[in-house]
Amino acid sequence: MSTLETQRIEGHAAIVGDGMPINRVLPSRLRRLVGPWCFLDHIGPAMIDKTGPLRVGPHPHIGLQTVTWLTAGEILHRDSLGSLQTIRAGQLNVMTSGRAISHSEESPAEATGEIHGVQFWTVLPESARLGEPMFDHYPVLPKIERDNLSITVISGEYDGARSPARHFWPIVGLEITAGIVDAPLSVNPAFEHALLVIDGQARVDGEALLPDVMLYLGAGRNGIQLSCDASCRIILIGGKPFEEDVLMWWNFVGRSREELTRACQEWNAGQGGFGEVQGYDGQRLIAPMPPWASAPG
Ligand code: MN
């Protein structure tokens, strides 16, 4: 086997909304992108009767897709297109901001138990980033069962199974649940990949996958060897290395500082085509101005 690069990217604990514990793995100082994936929050696992419900008030996005996948619990999504959608374990929400959208996320009133999942963002390429905003809910995704493995295709295509999720750049996203296993998994050598264990522990090509530490594998691999001594749940993300220079600030992905500054100003002024989220019982979020934007006056 050739000596291909690996990189360990340690997430950092943070709070989103009114008190939901998450571990943010992307972006990191060490790595900003894996294919088009530019953001990864591991949500929970948390018990809502201890942490309180998830409550993230109306906020805007540009230049990205939010990709939300739960393994336990529920989130109620509202957006400026009028979407009102509860996502449950094993389902996928994909919101495509295009040029501008706003949304809120909250635990539905009946939610009292565990919440556990991931929220990713993917960068929209130049050809799609100024397009129409869209929201898609996918209640059922393709699943591959073999070798004591269950592989759900969240994004892109794997082993002949294709996710229905809408994307704009060559991509793959899998949830792999395994019992006791030592099995090869083929991967696309044209894609870079990374793995994050979200339940249990595992090894990839003999390297330990540790909780909340992403293992970046680079491109050029045809396969990996996955080993678990007990049950584990792993997220694999990958894609064609993204070729455009992107900048991120707060909830915005853009191409220049001026664009990001303008998005903050327009959202805070109630302008910019972000629309309105109806029905959320709380305040809209305020965009923090970027450090490069000079203070008024
Ligand atoms: Mn959001």
Side-chain angles (χ1 to χ4, degrees):
M1 182 175 288
S2 61
T3 53
L4 292 163
E5 64 170 317
T6 63
Q7 187 181 35
R8 290 174 183 277
I9 296 160
E10 200 161 333
H12 62 274
I15 296 290
V16 298
D18 293 353
M20 181 59 56
I22 59 99
N23 199 279
R24 184 154 298 160
V25 180
L26 282 179
S28 134
R29 285 182 193 281
L30 294 175
R31 177 151 297 278
R32 298 170 66 223
L33 293 166
V34 178
W37 303 96
C38 64
F39 180 95
L40 198 180
D41 269 359
H42 177 198
I43 305 166
M47 296 302 294
I48 282 181
D49 56 4
K50 293 209 179 78
T51 60
L54 176 74
R55 281 179 53 78
V56 182
H59 62 276
H61 288 289
I62 63 170
L64 59 83
Q65 296 178 291
T66 65
V67 177
T68 309
W69 169 257
L70 294 181
T71 67
E74 310 83 17
I75 297 176
L76 174 60
H77 162 97
R78 305 172 191 268
D79 66 39
S80 52
L81 305 173
S83 312
L84 179 65
Q85 179 68 56
T86 300
I87 180 177
R88 300 176 195 284
Q91 302 181 338
L92 182 69
N93 277 2
V94 178
M95 185 180 77
T96 303
S97 76
R99 59 182 173 267
I101 201 167
S102 56
H103 74 144
S104 63
E105 293 154 298
E106 66 198 281
S107 301
E110 69 273 17
T112 54
E114 186 182 18
I115 183 166
H116 189 203
V118 283
Q119 185 173 80
F120 311 95
W121 300 349
T122 64
V123 182
L124 288 173
E126 193 62 41
S127 57
R129 74 189 194 95
L130 301 176
E132 294 297 319
M134 293 177 275
F135 174 77
D136 296 291
H137 174 71
Y138 303 102
V140 179
L141 294 177
K143 202 175 257 201
I144 299 159
E145 312 267 0
R146 65 167 165 87
D147 300 338
N148 222 12
L149 291 168
S150 174
I151 301 172
T152 302
V153 185
I154 296 171
S155 296
E157 184 268 342
Y158 190 77
D159 213 6
R162 173 162 286 282
S163 165
R166 192 195 299 272
H167 285 293
F168 298 85
W169 188 263
I171 194 168
V172 66
L174 308 176
E175 186 206 66
I176 304 164
T177 59
I180 298 169
V181 80
D182 185 18
L185 291 174
S186 61
V187 295
N188 181 344
F191 284 8
E192 55 183 351
H193 294 92
L195 294 139
L196 180 72
V197 66
I198 62 170
D199 267 326
Q201 294 197 15
R203 290 181 307 284
V204 169
D205 295 342
E207 282 205 56
L209 283 185
L210 303 172
D212 289 322
V213 180
M214 190 171 76
L215 184 67
Y216 172 75
L217 297 176
R221 288 169 198 265
N222 294 300
I224 57 176
Q225 186 75 18
L226 176 68
S227 317
C228 291
D229 299 329
S231 64
C232 66
R233 190 187 299 268
I234 295 163
I235 298 290
L236 178 149
I237 56 175
K240 181 183 171 191
F242 198 74
E243 289 161 357
E244 300 168 22
D245 287 331
V246 299
L247 288 176
M248 293 174 66
W249 175 253
W250 196 48
N251 290 307
F252 303 128
V253 176
R255 297 295 185 275
S256 70
R257 288 182 164 188
E258 293 69 29
E259 182 186 6
L260 299 178
T261 303
R262 189 171 62 246
C264 291
Q265 289 167 337
E266 289 182 341
W267 167 256
N268 288 345
Q271 301 166 352
F274 293 106
E276 286 204 22
V277 178
Q278 301 291 335
Y280 181 82
D281 182 18
Q283 297 290 315
R284 77 205 284 279
L285 306 188
I286 295 169
M289 293 308 291
W292 60 78
S294 54

